[in-house]
């Protein structure tokens, strides 16, 4: 059975064809570069100080140069799974940070096929779902008890699959008739729950088994329900047999936040995105400006800067003006009441002296922090608080400068859940050199980097831009403000193409979102459609207006329309309006989304 995680692909964009180099010719670690025109290249990236383009070296030392302003993101240090006859990674969604969806197709002979799904979550939202479609399946369904089997006896094993037949179909481990043997099989999946101890943070599927096994058992669904009270630094591994009732091609879709994979066959070990994924000690969380996040150890505060140790990187110094808050991850934040935080002072959250379970707050200005205590200016006088009482620090004092607009910069997603806004200075085969926005320099090994994203280049993501105005016009009385990157129930956005969209603006008719454009904006692009399942009865008209003129319109958009590709020229346009109007069904089911909405400029904007 051959590994299919990396295959030759190419897309034409603006007359340029970018092709992913053959996986067989790449080294064991590869970088995958995605451009703003949705082309992809594979190889090893390097960047020299002072240059504005990545050099990508691929098979036979062929090189290609791509300007940073034309890059969307780079998945770095992607480890190519070994090829063998007993294990196949069908889907690699081990990307971390944000809900992402990937799918793949596989030809199966009827029978029971062994599958394994590892999943991990460091911090933030958690999400896991598996969908399947294929012969005999009505549409796309969630992988559940009807298609799952596991042995009653944990000592019962199946012989490995014999691989592929001459027609390219994977042969099952067990015959279909075994699924009916209730003395041997359950209509469930087995699971193992792993939990990090003493600050251990998973950073890839191959770091799961370094965590502590908390419990195991069987379940009828593959999702995050088995986490129960565990919300951070956790992992799940599901082992089951997929029941293919007929020969044919099946499509599997894997949705997760943070990361997951789907394997066929007997899995001996998981292949993560880096050779050096290891559990790390991260007792504190730093929330940074420009949507950054660091997990590690709070070392000290002095001179309006915080020194923070990021595992696998180094100690870094960050200006408090670029630090939103610091939180002790061992504290129960559900007990922290943040309703009364002032807008122009710092707030310290601390344990009560007499009742450590009670969290209190005090406002003023943070002065310094060392190993023993926190010094805090309260009503003009310095007060000292024992450090072990401090649970959280929120930095809003008006005496500090506000963060400057970052302009074009990069965001690094590292092992251990780090999300660091920065400017990358150089990349070699061994290290990556970058400077944090509002902070100092860091030079970690390049193998700690999972993803490099380019922000505020030629492409501007509208989900990161606040509209200059919003209009929600009810048909009768229902008025729903727009949502960013979720549907109106707080779940991921799904349109009627069976895709989960990590980025999108969810709206209800009638809505208008207004944006002010900078000069030299060339295009607006988006994927538009009604959201599943609530939009099944919807019917809307979508419009793009520029400076009061109609630039694009499509009416009678329904669930059957699927996804509408929007690509509108914006030359000399100063004001953009995205409008969703009532259709033939008044406002019934008119829940739609502008997904992956982006502006394309001809140059970087100041």
């Amino acid at each position: 059975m051959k590994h299919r995680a990396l295959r030759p692909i190419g897309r034409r964009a603006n007359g340029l064809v970018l092709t992913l180099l053959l996986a067989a010719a790449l080294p064991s670690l590869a970088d995958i570069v995605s451009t703003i025109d949705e082309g992809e290249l594979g190889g090893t990236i390097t960047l020299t100080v002072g240059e504005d383009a990545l050099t990508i070296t691929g098979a036979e030392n062929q090189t290609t140069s791509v300007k940073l302003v034309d890059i969307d993101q780079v998945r770095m240090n992607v480890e190519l799974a070994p090829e063998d006859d007993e294990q196949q990674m069908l889907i690699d969604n081990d990307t971390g940070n944000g809900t992402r969806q990937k799918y793949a197709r596989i030809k199966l002979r009827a029978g029971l096929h062994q599958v394994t799904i590892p999943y991990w979550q460091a911090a933030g939202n958690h999400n896991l779902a598996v969908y399947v479609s294929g012969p005999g399946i009505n549409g796309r369904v969630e992988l559940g008890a009807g298609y799952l089997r596991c042995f009653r006896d944990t000592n019962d094993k199946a012989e490995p699959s014999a691989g592929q037949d001459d027609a390219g179909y994977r042969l099952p481990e067990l015959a279909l008739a075994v699924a009916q043997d209730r003395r041997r099989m359950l209509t469930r999946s087995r699971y193992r729950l792993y939990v990090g101890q003493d600050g251990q943070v998973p950073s890839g599927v191959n770091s799961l088994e370094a965590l502590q096994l908390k419990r195991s058992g069987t379940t009828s669904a593959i999702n995050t329900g088995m986490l129960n009270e565990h919300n951070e630094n956790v992992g799940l591994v599901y082992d089951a047999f997929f029941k293919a009732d007929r020969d044919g091609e099946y499509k599997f879709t894997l949705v997760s936040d943070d990361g997951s994979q789907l394997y066929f066959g007997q899995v001996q070990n998981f292949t993560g995105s880096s050779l050096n994924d290891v559990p790390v000690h991260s007792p504190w969380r730093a929330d940074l400006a420009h949507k950054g996040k660091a997990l590690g150890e709070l070392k000290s505060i002095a001179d309006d800067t915080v020194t923070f140790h990021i595992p696998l990187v180094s100690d870094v110094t960050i200006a408090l003006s670029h630090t939103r808050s610091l939180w002790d991850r061992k504290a129960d934040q559900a007990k922290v009441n943040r309703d009364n935080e002032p807008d122009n002072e710092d707030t310290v959250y601390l344990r009560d002296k007499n009742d450590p379970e009670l969290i209190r707050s005090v406002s003023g200005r943070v002065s310094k922090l060392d190993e023993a205590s926190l010094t805090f200016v309260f009503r003009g006088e310095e007060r000292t608080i024992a450090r072990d009482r401090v649970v959280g620090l929120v930095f809003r004092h008006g005496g500090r400068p506000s963060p400057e607009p970052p302009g074009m910069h990069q965001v690094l997603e590292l092992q251990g859940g780090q999300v660091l806004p920065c400017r990358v200075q150089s990349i070699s085969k061994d290290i990556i050199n970058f400077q944090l926005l509002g902070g100092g320099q860091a030079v970690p090994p390049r193998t700690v980097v999972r993803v490099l994203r380019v922000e505020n280049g030629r492409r501007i993501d509208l989900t990161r831009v606040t509209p200059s105005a919003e209009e929600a016009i009810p048909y009768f009385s229902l008025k729903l403000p727009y949502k960013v990157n979720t549907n109106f129930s707080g779940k991921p956005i799904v349109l009627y193409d069976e895709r989960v969209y990590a980025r999108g603006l969810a709206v209800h008719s009638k809505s208008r979102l207004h944006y002010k454009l900078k000069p030299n904006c060339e295009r607006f692009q988006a994927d538009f459609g009604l959201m599943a399942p609530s939009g099944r009865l919807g019917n809307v008209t979508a419009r793009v207006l520029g400076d009061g003129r109609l630039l694009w319109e499509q009416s009678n958009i329904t669930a059957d329309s699927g996804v509408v590709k929007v690509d509108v020229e914006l030359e000399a346009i100063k004001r953009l309006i995205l409008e969703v109007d009532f259709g033939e069904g008044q406002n019934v089911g008119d829940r739609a989304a502008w997904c992956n909405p982006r502006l394309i400029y001809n140059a970087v904007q100041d």
Side-chain angles (χ1 to χ4, degrees), residues 178-209:
V178 179
Q180 308 305 321
D181 186 352
R182 296 188 177 181
R183 293 172 299 179
R184 189 182 183 192
M185 306 296 289
L186 298 171
T187 56
R188 299 172 72 81
S189 169
R190 292 204 170 272
Y191 76 90
R192 304 192 300 275
L193 170 65
Y194 294 91
V195 179
Q197 303 294 310
D198 298 324
Q200 285 180 318
V201 179
S203 54
V205 296
N206 62 346
S207 63
L208 286 182
E209 294 187 356

Side-chain angles (χ1 to χ4, degrees), residues 131 140 486-489 491-501 529-537 558-559 562-563 589 591-593 595:
Y131 301 94
R140 185 182 82 160
T486 70
N487 65 18
F488 290 103
S489 300
K491 296 181 179 179
I493 296 173
V494 181
L495 301 185
Y496 282 95
D497 61 349
E498 300 183 352
R499 284 183 59 193
V500 175
Y501 289 83
L530 292 166
M531 292 188 292
S534 57
R536 171 53 63 184
L537 300 178
T558 66
V563 174
R591 299 191 177 195
C595 292

